[in-house]
Structure formats: structure tokens, C-alpha cells
């Protein structure tokens, strides 16, 4: 995966100046980012700009999990593949190949990035709404692979909204799900605040049934993120 990490760094270094010019970004809680070792980065997801915003502020290589259909989008699919992106179905199902990729991320002591809301928040298309229900797959990755979770939030301080530049019929032709084809607007950040919270220790969720522990861990992470969204850094 060394070549993917190098590709990720090249893309990041190329894109970062443009992101920095387009969006006023501040980051808090960076002391909570461990400099090495396996980790799951979890964040809210309200814009297609989110992975770029997080990659801009996060100092380590991130292997992002992305919806499988995004790997059919021209240009993005090539960037995602060369930078170590991992496809996952929108229904939460994941192929054996992707599972092996995730296991390799942890074996190397790298960071897995995931948005537990999936695309559901953007499908809802109400940018003033709170986070939507989490998919619990990230909790399963944490428990099964014994990996801590870093809860993270992106708080928009200034943003605008625009129509999706790709027409619905084209999105459908590209194989996107109907609910994604029906999304009308996207959020465009102008000023954001990224907050990295304290790690959630996976060891507290190893005893008992996997299903119960997944739910408890997911709820704990979501609770912390909700508090971060409304805490001391939430005001402009």
C-alpha cells in the first residue's frame, strides 16, 4: 500500500492549496490525533467536500471507505483507486476483497476513514437538520479488529447551496441509486471548523454479544459527535 500512500500524498499536496483558498478551515483537537498505529476516523457527512476538508487537516494517510457507485464516476474513480479508496455497497454489504483491504489497513497500522451516515444526510437534503441515523459497520470494524475510534465533526460556519452539476439522468446512467439521482442540492463550504475528539477505546466493547456491542459503540460515538457539534466550538 506504500504506492497508494504516496499517491494520496501527491493528490493531497496538489489539492490542498485550492482547498485552502476556497475554504477558511480551522481545526481543533488535533492533539487527539495519534501519530501512528491503527485507527478509525469517523465523521459526519453533509457535503461531497468532506473527505477533502478532513484530509486537508489530518496529518496522516487515510484509506477512505466510499460508496461503491462513486467508483464509477469518471476521474473520481481513478483518484480513489490510486489513493487507496475502499468500495462499500450503500446497503452496508462489503465484498471479501474490500474486507481484505480494510484488514491490510489495520495490519499496516494505518487509518481507515468512514462516514457512518453514508449518503443519507445528503439524500435528505436538509442542511439545517441534525445527523441522521448511523450505519453500524464502523463499530463492527472496530470491535473485530480491535481498533480505537476517533470521533470527528465538520461544523459549517459559512456555506452556500447549489444544484448538483450532474443531471439526474446522467447520474442514473452512471449507475447511481435512485435516491442519489434525486438529490437536488449540495452544500459548498466557505468557512468550516473541524473538531477532533478524544479516542473511543474499543476495549470497552469486547465482552458480550457483537450485535449489542456494535449498537452500544455506535451510540457512544454518535453521542460524542452530537455533543461536539453543539459544544464550545460550534459558534462562529
Amino acid at each position: 500500500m506504500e504506492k497508494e500512500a504516496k499517491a494520496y500524498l501527491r493528490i493531497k499536496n496538489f489539492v490542498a492549496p485550492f482547498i485552502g483558498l476556497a475554504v477558511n478551515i480551522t481545526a481543533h483537537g488535533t492533539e487527539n490525533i495519534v501519530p501512528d498505529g491503527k485507527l478509525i476516523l469517523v465523521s459526519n457527512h453533509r457535503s461531497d467536500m468532506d473527505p477533502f476538508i478532513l484530509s486537508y487537516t489530518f496529518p496522516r494517510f487515510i484509506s477512505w471507505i466510499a460508496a461503491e457507485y462513486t467508483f464509477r464516476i469518471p476521474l473520481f474513480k481513478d483518484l480513489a483507486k490510486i489513493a487507496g479508496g475502499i468500495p462499500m455497497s450503500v446497503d452496508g454489504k462489503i465484498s471479501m476483497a474490500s474486507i481484505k483491504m480494510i484488514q491490510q489497513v489495520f495490519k499496516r497500522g494505518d487509518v481507515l476513514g468512514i462516514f457512518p451516515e453514508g449518503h443519507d444526510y445528503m439524500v435528505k437534503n436538509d442542511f439545517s437538520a441534525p445527523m441522521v441515523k448511523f450505519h453500524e459497520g464502523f463499530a463492527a470494524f472496530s470491535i473485530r479488529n480491535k481498533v480505537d475510534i476517533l470521533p470527528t465533526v465538520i461544523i459549517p460556519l459559512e456555506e452556500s447551496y447549489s444544484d448538483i452539476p450532474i443531471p439526474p439522468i446522467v447520474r442514473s446512467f452512471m449507475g447511481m441509486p435512485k435516491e442519489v439521482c434525486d438529490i437536488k442540492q449540495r452544500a459548498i463550504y466557505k468557512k468550516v471548523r473541524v473538531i477532533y475528539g478524544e479516542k473511543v477505546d474499543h476495549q470497552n466493547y469486547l465482552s458480550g454479544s457483537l450485535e449489542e456491542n456494535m449498537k452500544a459503540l455506535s451510540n457512544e460515538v454518535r453521542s460524542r459527535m452530537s455533543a461536539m457539534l453543539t459544544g464550545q466550538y460550534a459558534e462562529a
Side-chain angles (χ1 to χ4, degrees):
M1 188 64 78
E2 184 179 350
K3 66 178 182 179
E4 285 83 357
K6 289 181 177 179
Y8 173 92
L9 184 59
R10 288 197 298 270
I11 295 170
K12 177 178 177 177
N13 289 339
F14 176 78
V15 174
F18 300 99
I19 294 291
L21 284 172
V23 187
N24 182 343
I25 306 171
T26 56
H28 301 268
T30 51
E31 68 277 5
N32 293 318
I33 302 173
V34 292
D36 50 49
K38 59 186 181 180
L39 184 69
I40 297 176
L41 171 66
V42 168
S43 175
N44 59 326
H45 194 26
R46 36 188 332 283
S47 170
D48 50 20
M49 297 176 69
D50 293 336
F52 301 100
I53 297 295
L54 293 172
S55 296
Y56 180 90
T57 61
F58 196 83
R60 299 177 58 186
F61 166 50
I62 306 171
S63 289
W64 285 106
I65 284 185
E68 184 273 335
Y69 64 79
T70 62
F71 287 78
R72 296 194 292 272
I73 299 175
L75 182 60
F76 179 87
K77 65 179 180 181
D78 299 315
L79 293 176
K81 286 178 181 178
I82 65 175
I86 301 173
M88 176 181 281
S89 173
V90 294
D91 61 7
K93 295 179 180 179
I94 186 166
S95 68
M96 185 56 65
S98 292
I99 290 174
K100 290 180 178 179
M101 292 173 70
I102 291 170
Q103 291 173 337
Q104 285 300 310
V105 170
F106 296 142
K107 185 176 181 180
R108 293 191 309 270
D110 285 338
V111 180
L112 181 73
I114 188 166
F115 299 107
E117 294 175 283
H119 62 215
D120 296 347
Y121 189 94
M122 290 181 286
V123 166
K124 189 174 181 180
N125 227 218
D126 179 1
F127 298 104
S128 63
M131 291 185 295
V132 298
K133 182 179 178 181
F134 280 12
H135 300 269
E136 296 173 356
F138 75 97
F141 298 150
S142 170
I143 295 168
R144 285 175 171 156
N145 296 279
K146 297 180 172 58
V147 187
D148 293 338
I149 295 173
L150 185 69
T152 305
V153 295
I154 299 172
I155 300 176
L157 303 178
E158 294 179 22
E159 64 182 354
S160 61
Y161 311 102
S162 71
D163 292 339
I164 301 289
I166 305 175
I169 191 170
V170 177
R171 282 179 257 169
S172 178
F173 180 76
M174 292 165 61
M176 296 186 182
K178 183 180 185 304
E179 65 268 24
V180 175
C181 295
D182 291 339
I183 295 175
K184 298 186 181 302
Q185 291 194 310
R186 61 187 290 261
I188 302 174
Y189 298 137
K190 298 182 181 300
K191 183 178 181 180
V192 300
R193 190 167 287 148
V194 179
I195 306 174
Y196 296 100
E198 295 182 359
K199 283 194 307 178
V200 179
D201 192 337
H202 72 277
Q203 296 185 46
N204 298 324
Y205 302 90
L206 296 181
S207 61
S209 75
L210 175 61
E211 185 176 349
E212 291 177 355
N213 284 329
M214 284 172 54
K215 185 174 293 294
L217 179 52
S218 178
N219 288 341
E220 173 64 19
V221 172
R222 193 182 193 285
S223 175
R224 291 198 191 188
M225 290 170 61
S226 294
M228 292 158 63
L229 284 168
T230 57
Q232 61 173 319
Y233 297 115
E235 298 298 324

